[in-house]
Amino acid sequence: MSRRFNQSQRVALFLAADGCCSICGIELQLGWHGDHVEPYSKGGLTDVTNGQALCPACNLSKGATVLNLREWQQQALDAFHALPLGTKDMTVSATPGAGKTKFALHLAGQQLSQGQIHRIAVVAPTDALRQQWADAAAEMGLNLMPVAGPDDYEKSGYDGCVVTYQQLLGAGADLLRRVTRHPTLAIIDEIHHAGDDRKWGESLTRALELVAFRLALTGTPWRRDNTSPIPFVRYDTGGMVVVDYAYEYGAAVADGVCRRIEFHAYDGEAKWIDPARTRKTHRDPEGVASSVQIEVTAKLGADMDKDDVSAALDVLYEPKHRWMPAMLERANNMLDELREEVPDAAGLVVCERKWHAEAYAIEIEKLTGTKPPVVVSDPVSDPGGKLAKQAIDRFRGSTGRWIVAVKMISEGVDIPRLAIGVYASKTQTPLFFRQVVGRFVRTRKDEEFNARLLIPAVPELLRHALEIEEELRHQLDLAAEEEEKARAEAAAGSNTQGMFDFRTPVSASAPIFDRAILGGMEATPEEVAQAELECARAGIPTRYAMNLIPLLRSKLAPAAMAAVSVPNPVVVPRHKREKLLRGDIATLANRYARHAGKEPKEVNADLLRAGHPARSKASVEELEAIKQTVERWLSQL
């Protein structure tokens, strides 16, 4: 039996609780918890008769063992509980966007409510992440103080604090060390940063030496750097960090936790002169010596040493040359196409230098008519990165097309609408590359599309991309094997029903209606719309809206009910119908391509051969016909 309540059970719990927490009585908000009365770990059934709807604060305060965790988060939690007695350190590697923060805070809240610890200490790489950790903790019922001064490390009324690596230099390490006189769980976010500077590692060691337990988090494993050793982690004989639990990108995509990303590599020819290497000396007829500099020509995909690769990229990244403006134009065309179906989709250019970023922003302005924001981490003009964070926050909440950054949007920045990227950095380490990839893999509800990252065809970057794709291919192969096995077993058990049971369900767009009827109850469009809003607020799928209507009616005054008792047809504006249809078709087409073993472009070609126009130019009526065709294809699989 599953340890988590399914959606229909959650609806029943929500209705039984009248939309309020079963313990404190406050109105339930998005993120409320379905909890076992008799704990699952003690044999309690995952059934509505053994369930209750709780707010996060009450669930944490009673030491509940189950939140609405993803499968990998629960497995990582189980791995923690399976550690040998007396173990003080655990390292967890999870791909960006998978939910490391939620896992860590759930573990901390659980340990706090059970009395295993008295304090929580989080160490994060940046000021922006320091604030994000504090905000995320508040959503889970934990109060963490983002440290701004000496008095914040142990401020009363808080469960702990969040501090940056930089703040631990000097007195900060001793202030945090003093906090650990109480049993403390330390969460070290992106612990590989402790190797950025030897002093960071030393201060981290001093600050957290005495804590009860240390949970180290990272987005990708790394190799040992003998110049700046990283504390509290183990290495294998090859110098690779040993993780206690790993959740890789391939598994995250297979689970639907992360979006798949396409890598588009572009070659190019670069020419430059290297005076130090190409100088040739000769003498003229009078015997006077002179030097002639020879032009070097190289292609990115060729076998070059590191210096030549760096030189070639310097040339290709020059805004005045043809290569980079052409890359930006290609990326913008991709974004144009995607925004027909995802109107707020956005692009990111990761640059090498500030002057590159400014020049690329001008090029993008030529293409789009709007100059994108340029984000640079500059300790002189922007100490603490406050202006950069504000720019990122503004872009996250806007519908702007492009943002240009000098390396800094690499980790901890959550902009789920990022879908198209241009990698214009000379950094070739797998850690940085995966951090950039992580900016494009965060998913949003009801969206199915592949993100794209345009990269220079440098062998080292291609290797990193192939490794990521291999992880994904391996996971999808495993999933395909499991699905095929299930199909075979089902077919063996029933020749008539086996295949039907494993057909992929086909979703439908929002209906146009003037009333709804369920179990003899008739509801107006206004009531359904209100119920759908309540579903969204409570974290319940809108298909359960009708279930909530009796509860909503009981809360309305008789006069108010009378005012909405007469059915009134609702007309969906044409432009909204078109947007809904484009989104439905994209979802269905991607699902069909995945299950039919085709590329999305092949599905588009099939639709054209079937007599349909290109989706980008189709009318509402033509889009409805396209949707019906894809639905029919899916039903025939």
Side-chain angles (χ1 to χ4, degrees), residues 4 19 21 82 95 141 234 241 247 296 387 423 490 528 568 605 611 637:
R4 287 178 288 180
C21 175
T95 190
R234 297 173 289 121
V241 67
Y247 186 63
V296 180
L387 296 179
Y423 192 93
V528 174
N568 190 23
L637 287 177

Side-chain angles (χ1 to χ4, degrees), residues 139-300:
E139 293 177 3
M140 297 183 66
L142 296 171
N143 295 312
L144 299 183
M145 167 60 72
V147 170
D151 295 334
D152 293 338
Y153 285 85
E154 199 174 2
K155 202 163 191 178
S156 62
Y158 287 85
D159 300 307
C161 63
V162 189
V163 62
T164 65
Y165 289 92
Q166 182 68 33
Q167 287 177 311
L168 292 182
L169 295 178
D174 291 323
L175 289 169
L176 189 58
R177 184 184 179 93
R178 182 175 179 274
V179 171
T180 64
R181 70 184 186 277
H182 307 293
T184 303
L185 183 148
I187 301 171
I188 313 171
D189 188 24
E190 305 295 354
I191 192 174
H192 50 268
H193 281 288
D196 291 351
D197 187 309
R198 178 180 289 274
K199 291 182 179 179
W200 280 22
E202 292 172 349
S203 62
L204 186 69
T205 300
R206 175 163 181 78
L208 302 181
E209 181 182 9
L210 305 178
V211 299
F213 191 83
R214 292 176 289 257
L215 175 64
L217 305 175
T218 184
T220 182
W222 69 90
R223 291 197 177 276
R224 184 195 304 272
D225 182 352
N226 292 328
T227 61
S228 299
I230 297 175
F232 312 132
V233 298
R234 297 173 289 121
Y235 293 91
D236 62 20
T237 55
M240 195 72 179
V241 67
V242 176
V243 298
D244 298 287
Y245 183 87
Y247 186 63
E248 296 179 334
Y249 169 68
V253 172
D255 291 346
V257 173
C258 287
R259 178 184 296 143
R260 185 168 185 175
I261 185 166
E262 300 175 10
F263 298 98
H264 291 236
Y266 292 85
D267 203 345
E269 185 177 83
K271 296 181 180 181
W272 73 95
I273 294 173
D274 186 351
R277 190 179 65 178
T278 63
R279 184 177 295 128
K280 287 190 175 181
T281 303
H282 68 281
R283 294 181 181 276
D284 61 17
E286 284 76 29
V288 179
S290 62
S291 297
V292 177
Q293 295 178 336
I294 298 177
E295 187 177 78
V296 180
T297 301
K299 296 189 70 175
L300 282 182

Side-chain angles (χ1 to χ4, degrees), residues 413-449:
V413 176
D414 185 3
I415 309 177
R417 64 190 190 90
L418 286 178
I420 305 294
V422 179
Y423 192 93
S425 170
K426 289 169 62 177
T427 304
Q428 298 176 45
T429 64
L431 182 62
F432 183 78
F433 185 77
R434 284 177 178 257
Q435 287 169 350
V436 172
V437 169
R439 299 318 99 210
F440 302 94
V441 302
R442 298 174 186 268
T443 58
R444 295 193 296 186
K445 185 179 179 182
D446 298 331
E447 282 186 350
E448 287 192 29
F449 63 84

